[in-house]
Amino acid sequence: MSDRHDTIRAIEWRDDRLYLLDQRLLPHRLEYLACGTAPAVAEAIRKMVVRGAPAIGIAAAYGVVLAARDAHAVDPAGWRSAMELDLRLLESARPTAVNLKWALERMRAVMQQIEKDPEARLLQEARRIHEEDVRANRRMGELGAELIGERCAVLTHCNAGSLATGGFGTALGVIRAAFSAGRIERVYADETRPWLQGARLTAWELVQDGIPVTLLVEGAAAWLMARGLVEWVIVGADRIAANGDVANKIGTYSAAVNARRHGVKFMVVAPLSTIDPETPDGHSIPIEERPQEEILELAGQPLTAAGATAWNPSFDVTPAELIDAIVTERGVILNPDRKKIGALFQREGDCCNDQE
Ligand code: MRU
């Protein structure tokens, strides 16, 4: 695939610190925020400087490197316990994306094996997590693109692109690969109220990479489908439960209900680090509720009558029965259920076949 359709990277480790592309400022300003401590990384995750499930996990992994550096400087013998508070800060930064917990568990496992100064070894592991995510995205891109038959238009929700991952993207990775292969002619992007990830991030990302994008309010998505304008809905995930239920950005569930009503196929693209075998089903997924101001205000200006309140769940759960395909780096699961998700974890290495 030509690099022309893959130019954006939101997370960089350089000069001994973490640089995050500040997604609160896009598309107007392209600025990187430097984080030199673990609490700064936790704050960046909480305030959505960096967002998207895999990107949160990667940022937190680099946050562990910073925590270990500071802890070792203060207490060379007891650095593990000295960094516990920082680890908890990182862990609790956002609740729904399981990649955060997954990345921290992986870093904790490495911490147990280190005898001397931990920084170099932990940095190596964080870099591995980062690089593996990009490789997984490229593999999912190939697998997902194969599912798209005739050249068509697709709808996506939120931002599941390079900005939300180590690079290339999950849903947008499939879109990048399928566009390069001539299978996608246009991407429709839900604006994604209230934080506007679709309008501010997905549209920007696709324009940067030369992929035609048309924005719509998510209330228009059912009508887009009724008009026969899209063949697939392609989204990412924040957590996939053991039975195949998928938590993703609020509005994903309505997109799935509408897709089924109109015979449009529904694809979820997510690495194994987003699947949580310990969460039995969608009811058990913690759903983040964000501040009411995200709905009641726009750019600091009130949008509604003083005294009105808002309900702001940041995610919803799409039941497995509404999903046609879950694409992972280890293979595609058609019509997901508990048995097929379980079998995916038994398999070795990469595979691209459905398990039916
Ligand atoms: O609140 P956000 O912007 O972090 O939510 C992000 C999403 O819901 C994405 O669709 C999901 O994390 C998949 S990203 C590859």
Side-chain angles (χ1 to χ4, degrees):
M1 197 190 111
S2 114
D3 287 347
R4 202 167 74 76
H5 305 307
D6 178 26
T7 61
I8 296 155
R9 292 295 179 266
I11 305 174
E12 289 175 18
W13 179 272
R14 61 185 145 88
D15 308 327
D16 292 328
R17 51 178 57 196
L18 181 64
Y19 285 83
L20 298 169
L21 178 56
D22 193 337
Q23 301 190 28
R24 300 168 305 177
L25 307 178
L26 287 171
H28 305 297
R29 277 171 28 219
L30 198 68
E31 278 178 27
Y32 283 79
L33 181 81
C35 299
T37 65
V41 176
E43 168 105 332
I45 294 173
R46 203 169 52 75
K47 294 203 165 154
M48 293 178 61
V49 171
V50 59
R51 31 65 51 201
I56 292 171
I58 295 163
Y62 285 117
V64 174
V65 179
L66 297 168
R69 175 195 293 167
D70 287 347
H72 189 263
V74 173
D75 186 353
W79 60 270
R80 277 188 203 80
S81 32
M83 63 190 278
E84 201 48 46
L85 199 64
D86 278 354
L87 287 173
R88 295 218 185 110
L89 263 183
L90 289 165
E91 239 152 35
S92 60
R94 289 190 75 191
T96 304
V98 77
N99 307 61
L100 177 61
K101 187 167 146 263
W102 173 89
L104 292 174
E105 275 170 11
R106 196 162 141 176
M107 295 301 281
R108 274 187 191 275
V110 171
M111 279 167 57
Q112 296 319 314
Q113 300 158 12
I114 299 173
E115 275 160 24
K116 295 194 181 126
D117 187 337
E119 186 174 340
R121 176 66 188 95
L122 288 173
L123 178 58
Q124 181 189 42
E125 193 64 14
R127 284 193 197 281
R128 266 189 200 150
I129 289 174
H130 193 167
E131 284 158 14
E132 283 171 18
D133 185 64
V134 180
R135 271 206 300 281
N137 290 339
R138 289 192 181 278
R139 179 71 181 134
M140 291 187 287
E142 291 166 7
L143 295 175
E146 281 171 17
L147 294 175
I148 298 171
E150 298 284 295
R151 186 172 160 80
C152 65
V154 301
L155 173 67
T156 191
H157 187 72
C158 192
N159 171 270
S162 289
L163 293 170
T165 63
F168 199 68
T170 55
L172 292 193
V174 168
I175 285 170
R176 283 191 163 87
F179 181 78
S180 292
R183 293 184 184 161
I184 286 182
E185 61 191 5
R186 172 157 301 275
V187 180
Y188 288 92
D190 281 341
E191 66 172 356
T192 318
R193 283 282 296 155
W195 212 76
L196 301 173
Q197 285 91 337
R200 298 195 304 102
L201 308 180
T202 295
W204 179 79
E205 188 171 328
L206 293 178
V207 166
Q208 298 309 299
D209 284 353
I211 300 175
V213 57
T214 298
L215 206 61
L216 64 156
V217 297
E218 43 261 56
W223 187 234
L224 180 84
M225 295 179 200
R227 297 281 304 273
L229 292 175
V230 287
E231 297 291 322
W232 282 91
V233 176
I234 307 179
V235 296
D238 282 80
R239 189 183 302 220
I240 301 180
N243 70 341
D245 291 349
V246 169
N248 193 49
K249 181 52 55 196
I250 191 76
T252 304
Y253 175 42
S254 341
V257 170
N258 284 322
R260 186 54 57 89
R261 168 75 175 82
H262 296 98
V264 170
K265 298 271 187 211
F266 195 87
M267 185 193 305
V268 174
V269 189
L272 292 175
S273 54
T274 302
I275 304 181
D276 182 9
E278 286 169 23
T279 298
D281 54 37
H283 298 293
S284 329
I285 299 176
I287 299 293
E288 176 181 10
E289 295 218 6
R290 294 192 58 85
Q292 296 188 36
E293 289 68 35
E294 287 184 355
I295 293 180
L296 298 174
E297 296 174 1
L298 190 64
Q301 298 300 312
L303 272 180
T304 186
T309 60
W311 180 50
N312 190 13
S314 195
F315 301 94
D316 58 26
V317 174
T318 300
E321 67 194 76
L322 293 178
I323 297 166
D324 293 292
I326 295 181
V327 177
T328 75
E329 69 273 37
R330 200 174 283 173
V332 173
I333 304 177
L334 300 180
N335 307 316
D337 60 21
R338 190 177 302 279
K339 204 164 140 237
K340 292 178 189 175
I341 297 276
L344 190 69
F345 281 92
Q346 307 304 318
R347 287 201 238 165
E348 295 283 321
D350 285 347
C351 176
C352 57
N353 299 321
D354 174 44
Q355 302 170 62
E356 283 182 317

